[in-house]
Amino acid sequence: MSLAPRLDLRQSQSLVMTPQLRQAIKLLQSSNLEVSAFVEEELERNPLLERDERAPPGPDSGHRVDTSPVVAEGADSHAAAVSDTLPSEAAGPLDAEWDNVYDAGGGYESPYGRGGRADFDEDLAGIEDLAAGARSLREHLGEQVRIAFHTPRERLIAAQLLALVDPAGRLAVEDAQIAAVLACEEAEVAAVRGRMQRFDPVGMFCRNLAECLAVQLAERNRLDPAMQALLDHLDLVARRDRVALMATCGVDAEDLAEMLAELRRLDPKPGASFDAAPAPALVPDVLMRRAPDGGWLLELNPETLPRVLVNRGFHARCQVGARNKEEKAFLAERLQSANWLLKSLEQRANTILKVASEIVRRQDGFFRHGVEYLRPLILRDVAEEVQMHESTVSRVTANKYIATPRGTFELKYFFTTAIAGTMGGESHSAEAVRHRIRAMIEAEDPDAVLSDDAIVERLRQEGVDIARRTVAKYREALRIPSSVQRKREKAVPA
């Protein structure tokens, strides 16, 4: 065996992930808001980039999707046309001074000059900065502590309780433990805790759910012996065992229904909703509307779509003024980066529209008639049609939302597994089957509650070949109780 060094020439192929390619992939799987944030950073780093201040395309410029209606026969396609008739001149009193009449389009004329709402808005500019910010739960409770307690001893105990309470409003620590830490009597801690339980929001500083609900009921003067017995047996409430509850509380069906309704109006976690941040607004990436000829028009959301340009005039002036190779190399690198960003944004927009168009074409029945017409769809089906890889389609549909006449949906929503049809018939979408199961249970007769086996039999009569365990899984995902629990709940009239 020879161990001498030698040179070999080999030919191979490999995929090199350049920074530009990684950037394009990252942009493809990002939402419009994330892309806008990335473009803002590029605008700060690259002097050759600038915002496109031109007006976005009008509403008539959209990508048209040609669809062959899957179940259009017999569908109601009536359209209502609404027209507003406005008078050419506003009617006013004959003795009005027209030189001093308010004009909604631009203010009014007066001897002191032109005024109107615009001037008023300028005077109010910045007034929102004077509004106080939202207070936290602890600040809200701390203010009530300062008002309710006056002695240093009570305020010390209240501060300890305030420090131990969790965001939901629970304080599971026993009074004896708190008293041992503060070197005070247990009765003093219990007295302070009892007063703080009536703070706003009512029901804070309680040890468990039953005590929290009892405090809220006592505040409403609704904590009678029957309601206390109901709180002592919340496990029966969870199991919907109304027969046992009526026997335990000593009430009839009508009174029990009122007590349960009262219980549902209470807040089991009074502190959770106080500091809860408002839900972020869902901004769609793709807008969809009906075309005049009955098809669909798709366009990227112009409100969130980043629009940038390459300032080639500035680049030319800088190129002339470059004094050395380093400056010229910097300009060349910035120009290449700017061109690549524009190319990536354009390719991203075209890819999203192409994938979204294919999804709309395949799910045309859903958009026209509802979720029961949702068809099974997988990534491979769309990838083969648009001639892309499945991973590309997966990135395009990730974190993207489309605003449709039926609501705003994530693009991933339209990809559902297929459930085979009986006798070799057409397969069905899993989401459509879940919708059908919910509709069956909502329409069931209280005297004939449907079991999972009965649901399976009905679905098979409708051409859906489904197993009982799949029905049970879908029912649990929809948070629908079993037939035994539903029968127990519906056996007693509410």
Side-chain angles (χ1 to χ4, degrees):
M1 179 182 294
S2 176
L3 300 178
R6 64 180 184 181
L7 295 176
D8 288 335
L9 182 62
R10 298 180 180 178
Q11 184 177 5
S12 63
Q13 292 182 346
S14 62
L15 177 62
V16 179
M17 292 287 288
T18 63
Q20 291 83 0
L21 182 58
R22 286 196 296 267
Q23 179 190 90
I25 294 176
K26 181 180 178 181
L27 291 177
L28 192 60
Q29 63 187 6
S30 301
S31 64
N32 280 359
L33 296 180
E34 294 171 339
V35 172
S36 298
F38 175 78
V39 170
E40 288 294 330
E41 297 177 0
E42 289 296 317
L43 287 171
E44 295 179 1
R45 286 197 296 259
N46 197 334
L48 300 183
L49 286 174
E50 64 179 14
R51 291 184 180 86
D52 187 0
E53 303 294 345
R54 295 174 298 180
D60 294 335
S61 59
H63 181 76
R64 189 181 184 283
V65 182
D66 292 324
T67 59
S68 299
V70 180
V71 285
E73 296 182 1
D76 187 5
S77 59
H78 295 289
V82 180
S83 62
D84 297 329
T85 304
L86 298 177
S88 58
E89 295 181 1
L94 297 179
D95 57 347
E97 297 180 5
W98 291 101
D99 58 347
N100 197 27
V101 173
Y102 173 75
D103 179 13
Y108 59 86
E109 292 288 350
S110 71
Y112 303 99
R114 185 170 183 83
R117 186 172 181 83
D119 298 334
F120 180 72
D121 291 340
E122 291 177 0
D123 295 337
L124 293 181
I127 194 172
E128 66 276 0
D129 298 336
L130 303 179
R135 292 183 302 173
S136 66
L137 176 62
R138 296 188 183 276
E139 291 173 346
H140 182 63
L141 295 172
E143 182 178 343
Q144 298 178 73
V145 166
R146 291 189 294 271
I147 296 175
F149 302 104
H150 304 287
T151 65
R153 193 178 186 86
E154 290 178 332
R155 290 189 174 184
L156 178 62
I157 298 174
Q160 182 69 10
L161 296 178
L162 186 59
L164 294 176
V165 70
D166 63 16
R170 295 283 190 275
L171 204 165
V173 184
E174 296 295 332
D175 295 341
Q177 298 178 358
I178 300 175
V181 172
L182 299 179
C184 64
E185 297 293 332
E186 183 178 345
E188 294 180 279
V189 178
V192 172
R193 187 202 285 259
R195 294 174 62 182
M196 295 180 70
Q197 288 176 348
R198 298 299 183 94
F199 281 3
D200 178 51
V202 179
M204 301 282 294
F205 306 98
C206 296
R207 300 172 184 81
N208 49 52
L209 175 61
E211 185 180 6
C212 174
L213 299 178
V215 170
Q216 297 181 51
L217 289 170
E219 183 71 13
R220 302 182 182 189
N221 196 23
R222 288 283 292 127
L223 188 60
D224 51 23
M227 188 65 78
Q228 184 61 56
L230 182 67
L231 295 178
D232 293 338
H233 297 83
L234 290 178
D235 56 331
L236 297 179
V237 177
R239 294 202 301 266
R240 296 180 171 87
D241 194 346
R242 295 196 175 193
V243 176
L245 286 173
M246 286 190 295
T248 302
C249 302
V251 296
D252 56 14
E254 184 177 356
D255 291 337
L256 180 62
E258 293 180 358
M259 293 167 61
L260 293 176
E262 184 77 21
L263 208 62
R264 294 188 188 97
R265 288 192 287 268
L266 304 178
D267 190 354
K269 296 181 179 181
S273 58
F274 196 94
D275 283 338
L282 189 61
V283 181
D285 301 273
V286 183
L287 304 179
M288 171 183 172
R289 65 184 186 275
R290 191 180 294 275
D293 59 355
W296 304 105
L297 288 175
L298 295 181
E299 64 174 339
L300 295 180
N301 190 351
E303 299 295 331
T304 60
L305 188 64
R307 305 173 70 235
V308 292
L309 295 172
V310 179
N311 194 336
R312 301 190 182 278
F314 179 70
H315 172 262
R317 293 193 298 270
C318 293
Q319 187 74 18
V320 173
R323 293 168 295 182
N324 49 50
K325 294 182 178 179
E326 288 76 10
E327 293 181 358
K328 293 182 179 180
F330 173 78
L331 289 174
E333 189 270 333
R334 292 291 87 187
L335 179 62
Q336 181 182 6
S337 176
N339 289 332
W340 184 267
L341 177 62
L342 263 65
K343 182 180 179 181
S344 299
L345 291 176
E346 182 180 2
Q347 184 178 5
R348 173 183 179 273
N350 294 334
T351 305
I352 292 176
L353 281 178
K354 186 180 296 185
V355 172
S357 300
E358 180 60 22
I359 293 175
V360 170
R361 190 185 69 83
R362 288 179 174 267
Q363 301 293 0
D364 180 67
F366 165 80
F367 296 113
R368 295 181 185 275
H369 305 288
V371 67
E372 59 270 19
Y373 291 95
L374 191 66
R375 300 174 61 189
L377 185 64
I378 58 177
L379 294 174
R380 189 189 312 116
D381 298 335
V382 177
E384 291 176 353
E385 188 66 27
V386 299
Q387 298 180 356
M388 296 179 184
H389 196 270
E390 291 183 37
S391 61
T392 304
V393 177
S394 178
R395 293 188 180 95
V396 169
T397 54
N399 305 316
K400 307 292 191 309
Y401 292 85
I402 178 172
T404 73
R406 292 197 172 271
T408 301
F409 300 90
E410 188 179 9
L411 290 179
K412 290 284 188 183
Y413 172 81
F414 302 103
F415 292 91
T416 60
T417 56
I419 297 179
T422 58
M423 304 297 293
E426 184 179 359
S427 59
H428 303 265
S429 167
E431 186 66 26
V433 173
R434 280 193 289 266
H435 175 79
R436 182 65 185 130
I437 292 174
R438 180 194 293 272
M440 284 184 183
I441 294 176
E442 289 178 351
E444 67 185 0
D445 189 347
D447 297 329
V449 176
L450 295 174
S451 65
D452 291 345
D453 291 325
I455 294 176
V456 169
E457 185 62 28
R458 287 197 179 186
L459 289 175
R460 287 180 176 174
Q461 292 175 2
E462 297 178 5
V464 182
D465 187 9
I466 191 170
R468 180 186 178 279
R469 62 179 180 274
T470 306
V471 170
K473 181 179 69 172
Y474 289 171
R475 178 179 51 75
E476 292 172 359
L478 295 171
R479 297 185 177 182
I480 298 175
S482 65
S483 59
V484 176
Q485 292 178 324
R486 299 200 308 274
K487 184 182 301 182
R488 183 184 302 151
E489 180 180 358
K490 296 180 179 181
V492 181

